[in-house]
Amino acid sequence: MNIITIRFDKALSAETLAKQKVVKSFGYADEEWSDVSVQFIMWDNSNPSNPQLFIKTDFSGYFPEGRFVTFIDGAIKDIHGNVITRTTP
């Protein structure tokens, strides 16, 4: 088990914060990391300007530098409606 924490640097839409399925894949810039699955996610919006997303995975190792999380198309939007497609934890 590994919990990946993503800190956003902008407020997210209420619609985004209500979602439980947002992760499309994990990987490097040129390849996906296909052997990892999401067990659950949890949002922390206690600081609305910098919300956090906790992703519990079945991966038991360290999440190496340079890996990223790709979101389902349109799943993550800031409060202005701009779509965030991928990020690094």
Side-chain angles (χ1 to χ4, degrees), residues 10-87:
K10 58 184 87 176
L12 300 177
S13 70
E15 175 189 3
T16 293
L17 296 169
K19 291 183 178 179
Q20 289 298 305
K21 291 188 178 189
V22 296
V23 176
K24 180 178 180 181
S25 65
F26 301 93
Y28 287 111
D30 297 329
E31 93 185 53
E32 287 191 0
W33 206 21
S34 61
D35 58 344
V36 177
S37 63
V38 174
Q39 294 182 338
F40 70 84
I41 70 168
M42 183 175 71
W43 291 100
D44 175 2
N45 197 34
S46 58
N47 179 353
S49 297
N50 298 100
Q52 296 183 73
L53 171 60
F54 302 98
I55 306 168
K56 182 181 176 193
T57 69
D58 60 1
F59 181 66
S60 60
Y62 170 72
F63 196 79
E65 188 174 322
R67 300 258 172 137
F68 60 82
V69 177
T70 301
F71 301 115
I72 296 169
D73 293 338
I76 306 286
K77 294 180 182 176
D78 68 16
I79 59 170
H80 303 292
N82 300 312
V83 174
I84 300 169
T85 57
R86 83 175 176 193
T87 190

